[in-house]
Amino acid sequence: MKVLFVNKFFFPHGGAETVFFQERDMVQEAGYQVIDFSMKHEKNIPSDYADFFVDNVDYHGKHSIFDNIKVAVNFVHNQYACDQFEKLIKAERPDIVHFHNIYHQITPSVIKIAQKLGCKTVLTAHDYKSVCPNYSMLAAGENIELDWITGSNINLFKYQWQDGSWPRSVLLSLEALYHRTMKSYEALDAFIAPCEFMKSMILRQIPSANVDVIVNGIDASTTDIGNDGGYFLFCGRLTKEKGIVTLAQAHSQLMGNTPLKVLGTGPMLDHIKQHFDNVELLGFQTGDALTEIIKNAKAVIVPSEWNENCSMSVLEAMSYGKPVIGANIGGIPEQVLDGETGYLFNSGDADDLAAKMQLLADDEALVAAMGQKGRARLLEKYSLDAHKRDLIKLYQSLLAN
């Protein structure tokens, strides 16, 4: 079997790339040949196929008026990427093409190239881009109504989808309209959804889609159950939709002196500094320092106010035997068993979150019991071995058909 992996970044960049490189390694370890297609970048890891990669595109840079028109066209449909992609497929003849994060720099137009050349096609939905123009299902920082992403294409133009900017919003809407009209995603043989909620969103927009749920995984052989260091922990970008303000408000209501440590940076950093003196802001951490902070937390809080997919923060916490208090939104309720491996609370409700935090602040035995159940659940459902098994099974089923 030859598998062509497609992702616009070919270096560690975010959660999508974590899964992308995990799966690439899995397929190689299973004895199959791996082929790469991506974007050129100085941070790229080496690849035998780098000569086929598309030129680096920075959509946040400054361009002339002429370049802006050209950039806008390529944002929707990158013909150069299609040409390079076709050359690679004709040269290597892969059996399966597995798409990951392809939007904007590569564009979904390449899906039909793979279909035309007889490859089986799979796309992992790391975000909501295939059903919502701006990835996140947020408009002006608030969760969208689900009927905004269905029905008439006019709905794409009725809301400011991106950063409150009409030019960006219109471009994203045109992109979505183009690929809906071209039926780019209908050319896929299968979607991979990391959670049931994501599957339901894909089917809401593309009812004919073949969607397999394959949850994300973590290598638990490199982790173990940590200690209860007596503090709650948040890991993530400090933005409104991540729920950091709600968490800080909840923490301020706790009785006792259980600290809240926050890992990460972002636009809400100054707001937290100014209004919540008791929050310990640790900034961006990596390596052993990051590991020790997570490993010794009492519990990890995931207070999201947007529809998380299969949260890696939840899985990392479970791998170290940490209870998780998570918002009852998106894919989080599929990961956290309420009352067993942690607690769920009403997203955006600081009072409800504070009540759940207080339960763990007051009961060390409960913390330990929930943490052990969480790690056991991780080993059973979210291991890399299970992920590899399900992925290879999907590939083989596609080829059999």
Side-chain angles (χ1 to χ4, degrees), residues 234-282:
F234 170 90
C235 308
R237 185 160 166 75
L238 305 188
T239 59
K240 181 180 182 299
E241 62 267 21
K242 286 291 186 180
I244 183 61
V245 175
T246 299
L247 173 56
Q249 291 170 342
H251 178 254
S252 68
Q253 298 178 30
L254 293 186
M255 294 180 290
N257 59 352
T258 307
L260 170 63
K261 297 180 185 288
V262 170
L263 286 169
T265 61
M268 298 303 296
L269 178 62
D270 289 341
H271 178 86
I272 300 299
K273 280 183 179 179
Q274 292 170 12
H275 295 90
F276 301 97
D277 294 339
N278 292 330
V279 176
E280 297 182 33
L281 297 166
L282 305 180

Side-chain angles (χ1 to χ4, degrees), residues 6-7 25 48 62 78 91 93 129 167 214-215 219 232 239 259 286 314 332 350 387:
V6 187
N7 194 72
D25 291 343
D48 293 338
K62 295 181 179 179
N78 189 329
R93 295 295 176 184
K129 183 65 177 176
I214 301 180
V215 298
D219 182 5
F232 292 112
T239 59
T286 59
V314 173
I332 295 174
H387 186 101

Side-chain angles (χ1 to χ4, degrees), residues 164-300:
S165 165
W166 278 110
R168 293 182 186 180
S169 302
V170 169
L171 182 57
L172 286 166
S173 298
L174 288 172
E175 176 202 20
L177 179 59
Y178 176 83
H179 290 294
R180 284 190 187 180
T181 302
M182 298 300 295
K183 297 189 178 297
S184 298
Y185 297 109
E186 282 81 350
L188 290 164
D189 291 296
F191 279 89
I192 292 176
C195 68
E196 292 287 348
F197 181 82
M198 176 64 79
K199 177 178 179 177
S200 70
M201 292 299 98
I202 294 170
L203 292 176
R204 187 183 185 94
Q205 183 60 258
I206 312 169
S208 62
N210 173 28
V211 187
D212 243 41
V213 175
I214 301 180
V215 298
N216 294 337
I218 277 188
D219 182 5
S221 69
T222 63
T223 64
D224 54 23
I225 293 179
N227 299 315
D228 180 355
Y231 56 87
F232 292 112
L233 179 64
F234 170 90
C235 308
R237 185 160 166 75
L238 305 188
T239 59
K240 181 180 182 299
E241 62 267 21
K242 286 291 186 180
I244 183 61
V245 175
T246 299
L247 173 56
Q249 291 170 342
H251 178 254
S252 68
Q253 298 178 30
L254 293 186
M255 294 180 290
N257 59 352
T258 307
L260 170 63
K261 297 180 185 288
V262 170
L263 286 169
T265 61
M268 298 303 296
L269 178 62
D270 289 341
H271 178 86
I272 300 299
K273 280 183 179 179
Q274 292 170 12
H275 295 90
F276 301 97
D277 294 339
N278 292 330
V279 176
E280 297 182 33
L281 297 166
L282 305 180
F284 182 75
Q285 302 284 335
T286 59
D288 292 341
L290 174 63
T291 298
E292 287 302 308
I293 294 168
I294 299 175
K295 188 173 181 178
N296 294 307
K298 174 182 288 292
V300 172

Side-chain angles (χ1 to χ4, degrees), residues 2 58 293 393:
K2 287 185 177 183
D58 179 10
I293 294 168
K393 181 180 177 181

Side-chain angles (χ1 to χ4, degrees), residues 15-16 18-20 22-23 26 100 124-127 192-196 198 212-219 308-316 318 334-335 377-388 390:
T18 297
V19 177
F20 170 75
Q22 279 179 348
E23 293 185 342
M26 288 175 187
H100 284 260
T124 295
H126 296 284
D127 49 53
I192 292 176
C195 68
E196 292 287 348
M198 176 64 79
D212 243 41
V213 175
I214 301 180
V215 298
N216 294 337
I218 277 188
D219 182 5
E308 294 274 3
N309 194 355
C310 184
S311 169
M312 294 301 288
S313 293
V314 173
L315 299 188
E316 288 170 359
M318 292 166 66
E334 299 171 39
Q335 298 177 284
R377 176 168 168 77
L378 178 95
L379 295 174
E380 176 186 359
K381 183 169 182 177
Y382 297 99
S383 71
L384 283 185
D385 285 342
H387 186 101
K388 177 180 177 180
D390 292 343

Side-chain angles (χ1 to χ4, degrees), residues 130-147:
S130 58
V131 298
C132 170
N134 79 342
Y135 293 92
S136 63
M137 291 178 63
L138 292 170
E142 302 293 335
N143 282 300
I144 68 170
E145 299 295 331
L146 295 184
D147 60 2

